[in-house]
Amino acid sequence: MGQLNAGIVPVTPFQQNCTILFDMDDKRGVVVDPGGDIDKVLAVLRDNAITAEAIWITHGHIDHAGGAMELKEALGIEIIGPHEADKMLLDNLENQGRRYGIDGVRNCVPDRFLAEGETVSFGGHVFEVLHCPGHAPGHVVYYNRAAKFAHVGDVLFRGSVGRTDLPGGDHAALIASIKDKLLPLGDDIGFICGHGPGGRFGEERRTNPFLT
């Protein structure tokens, strides 16, 4: 097993961080949140000789899951996640696309929903699944304990937190997810989020105005 690495491909008009997690030695990995622009995602995989073994979804919003079915068919791989509480969002992605004027969006049917306490992996890289509702009811976070790394989707951002004014949003639940599940993992945990730059939990605990 080689070093865990990550590459970010900004996709959709929302500039969502579609993330390719992969092993540096065997170049096998997963694609997290392919919200759209699938030709761009496929080109990055091809140009870097990375073999994607699965698609992992953090939650059911259009910019995170809108291109998942297209990528699944292009690569012949499974869609894993999010939590089943986001099924209603995944079933209405095409309606979201029409509302935002985004073409090519398809409703997403995961091969497997996830629950708190499960694990997912590729190669020897094991990620714990944390159910972190608030931004979306079925939002999950993928945490790799060995690498001290988490993909937090739209739960937490550098200096901010996920919005809660969308259907199924709950600000109190979001803050509880961050304070009860993420921050206790440790100040030294690095994270990639759904939009913008990542950071470390310790910096957010000390300076994020939504958490202090």
Side-chain angles (χ1 to χ4, degrees):
M1 182 179 69
Q3 179 182 346
L4 176 66
N5 206 347
I8 292 175
V9 186
V11 298
T12 80
F14 299 98
Q15 289 295 285
Q16 193 275 125
N17 291 334
C18 174
T19 305
I20 301 171
L21 301 174
F22 64 98
D23 183 279
M24 283 292 290
D25 284 355
D26 66 15
K27 293 296 188 74
R28 303 187 74 83
V30 297
V31 178
V32 183
D33 287 353
D37 298 327
I38 298 306
D39 287 346
K40 184 192 295 187
V41 177
L42 290 169
V44 171
L45 291 170
R46 181 181 63 250
D47 292 348
N48 292 277
I50 296 170
T51 300
E53 296 183 341
I55 297 163
W56 295 355
I57 305 294
T58 62
H59 65 290
H61 290 156
I62 186 172
D63 51 329
H64 293 257
M69 294 299 284
E70 181 182 349
L71 186 62
K72 169 188 169 74
E73 291 180 359
L75 297 178
I77 56 179
E78 289 189 335
I79 299 172
I80 299 174
H83 186 282
E84 194 169 11
D86 266 11
K87 184 178 185 300
M88 184 177 295
L89 293 175
L90 297 171
D91 288 345
N92 284 279
L93 288 173
E94 293 170 11
N95 290 333
Q96 288 185 46
R98 284 190 286 271
R99 191 159 59 246
Y100 289 110
I102 301 175
D103 296 326
V105 175
R106 292 166 57 188
N107 294 340
C108 179
V109 182
D111 295 279
R112 172 187 167 197
F113 285 109
L114 295 171
E116 176 84 17
E118 290 190 74
T119 62
V120 290
S121 64
F122 58 89
H125 302 285
V126 178
F127 289 75
E128 300 170 35
V129 175
L130 306 174
H131 180 210
C132 294
H135 176 67
H139 200 303
V140 296
V141 165
Y142 298 99
Y143 169 53
N144 186 292
R145 189 176 297 271
K148 296 185 177 181
F149 164 77
H151 194 301
V152 300
D154 284 359
V155 173
L156 177 67
F157 300 110
R158 183 184 291 185
S160 188
V161 298
R163 60 187 293 186
T164 54
D165 58 335
L166 299 170
D170 183 326
H171 184 74
L174 178 73
I175 299 303
S177 291
I178 297 169
K179 291 187 173 182
D180 297 344
K181 294 188 178 181
L182 298 187
L183 297 187
L185 297 175
D187 284 356
D188 58 344
I189 304 301
F191 68 88
I192 288 175
C193 46
H195 305 266
R200 292 195 179 275
F201 286 170
E203 183 68 16
E204 300 312 310
R205 182 181 58 79
R206 290 186 293 268
T207 67
N208 191 312
F210 293 90
L211 305 177
T212 54

